[in-house]
Amino acid sequence: MPKSMLIVYETINKFGRMSEYWKNYIEFYEEYWGGPTSPYGVWFGNEYSDFRNKLSKFLNVEWDEVQDCLFMKGGDGNYLISPLRSFKNTYILDSDNYIPLQWFILFDDKERKFFYTHLGFGRIHYGTDLKESLRRIDEADGIIDDFAARHGEGESPPALLMKLKKIQSDLFVLRAWLSEFDTSSYVVLDYGEICSFISPYTLNMDHSSKDAWDILDNLKKENIEESQRILNSLLQKWESAKQKILTDVLKNDVQ
């Protein structure tokens, strides 16, 4: 199934004795491919097996014991990595066929990047400091709490309050996960394979993080009807995308 991903990158010096391994991994990878890892990478022919054979020799590790990671260079020039296999905690959350609304709350619209891959697909990702993402979770949690305290179940639309409480619960789980990592980490929301099922034009027009914060901002201003309208629209948009992806996947499986 097509997946979106929420990825945490920690600074390389936070990995203790594994730091040297990751430095060697990155050195080889960049020399071999001429750049950092990417969730958008596509392997052709024997590229993958050739790369793995040479990598295992370089690291002096058996082919099936090589540990892999995604990595990026931070603004200070130091590397951050996201291990693809970890005994500590998973560094990547994924979601089939859609993007959970709570993920968008971690980011600001200014942190959104839209671009095209070499295959012509549109792509979107957001990126921010982990500390900032935690601050936004706390802010959103406080806004929902304040709204519930002001209105209660008897005064605000029951459906709206129920949806807000679900978002708040999901944010609580997300905060617990993010709190496992060092606060110097970096968080990326990657639309991933889902982008292959949505037209580049539609993707370019998508500003779901802004929509999520417009919902919360309108709650603060007591614009309840507008908040409810944006929330319903955002949920419907991603539900429609999910159904389209499922239909397209089913067609491809049948063919």
Side-chain angles (χ1 to χ4, degrees), residues 95-120:
S95 174
D96 290 339
N97 307 316
Y98 81 113
I99 302 173
L101 189 152
Q102 67 270 19
W103 289 10
F104 294 113
I105 289 173
L106 305 185
F107 305 93
D108 184 88
D109 190 59
K110 294 178 181 177
E111 295 162 346
R112 171 188 181 276
K113 291 184 180 178
F114 173 84
F115 57 97
Y116 290 95
T117 68
H118 64 286
L119 295 177

Side-chain angles (χ1 to χ4, degrees), residues 5-10 15 81-94 130 174 176-181:
M5 295 172 288
L6 193 63
I7 308 170
V8 173
Y9 291 82
E10 284 192 304
F15 289 86
I81 69 167
S82 180
L84 299 184
R85 183 178 63 187
S86 172
F87 296 109
K88 169 191 172 184
N89 183 28
T90 179
Y91 282 73
I92 301 175
L93 298 182
D94 59 54
L130 185 141
L174 193 54
W177 176 67
L178 289 171
S179 297
E180 293 287 327
F181 303 99

Side-chain angles (χ1 to χ4, degrees), residues 38-42 115 117-119 123-125 189-192 195:
S38 170
Y40 312 116
V42 178
F115 57 97
T117 68
H118 64 286
L119 295 177
R123 294 289 187 181
I124 292 180
H125 72 235
L189 167 54
D190 183 346
Y191 279 37
C195 294

Side-chain angles (χ1 to χ4, degrees), residues 26 29-38 71:
I26 291 170
Y29 197 104
E30 290 202 311
E31 184 173 338
Y32 190 90
W33 292 114
T37 53
S38 170
F71 65 87

Side-chain angles (χ1 to χ4, degrees), residues 28-146:
F28 179 84
Y29 197 104
E30 290 202 311
E31 184 173 338
Y32 190 90
W33 292 114
T37 53
S38 170
Y40 312 116
V42 178
W43 303 96
F44 296 99
N46 295 321
E47 280 184 343
Y48 181 72
S49 59
D50 181 65
F51 164 70
R52 296 289 290 186
N53 286 331
K54 292 178 179 177
L55 174 61
S56 65
K57 290 178 182 177
F58 181 83
L59 296 173
N60 195 27
V61 175
E62 291 296 324
W63 196 94
D64 59 350
E65 294 181 359
V66 172
Q67 295 190 50
D68 295 288
C69 72
L70 299 175
F71 65 87
M72 61 184 292
K73 189 174 285 188
D76 59 1
N78 292 318
Y79 284 100
L80 299 98
I81 69 167
S82 180
L84 299 184
R85 183 178 63 187
S86 172
F87 296 109
K88 169 191 172 184
N89 183 28
T90 179
Y91 282 73
I92 301 175
L93 298 182
D94 59 54
S95 174
D96 290 339
N97 307 316
Y98 81 113
I99 302 173
L101 189 152
Q102 67 270 19
W103 289 10
F104 294 113
I105 289 173
L106 305 185
F107 305 93
D108 184 88
D109 190 59
K110 294 178 181 177
E111 295 162 346
R112 171 188 181 276
K113 291 184 180 178
F114 173 84
F115 57 97
Y116 290 95
T117 68
H118 64 286
L119 295 177
F121 294 116
R123 294 289 187 181
I124 292 180
H125 72 235
Y126 292 83
T128 194
D129 296 333
L130 185 141
K131 191 181 297 185
E132 185 65 16
S133 70
L134 290 174
R135 184 196 66 76
R136 288 170 179 150
I137 288 176
D138 290 342
E139 181 180 355
D141 181 62
I143 291 171
I144 295 172
D145 266 348
D146 289 345

Side-chain angles (χ1 to χ4, degrees), residues 156-172:
S156 61
L160 174 60
L161 194 58
M162 191 161 54
K163 289 173 184 175
L164 291 174
K165 287 295 185 181
K166 175 62 167 63
I167 293 170
Q168 190 176 40
S169 176
D170 292 337
L171 286 173
F172 178 81

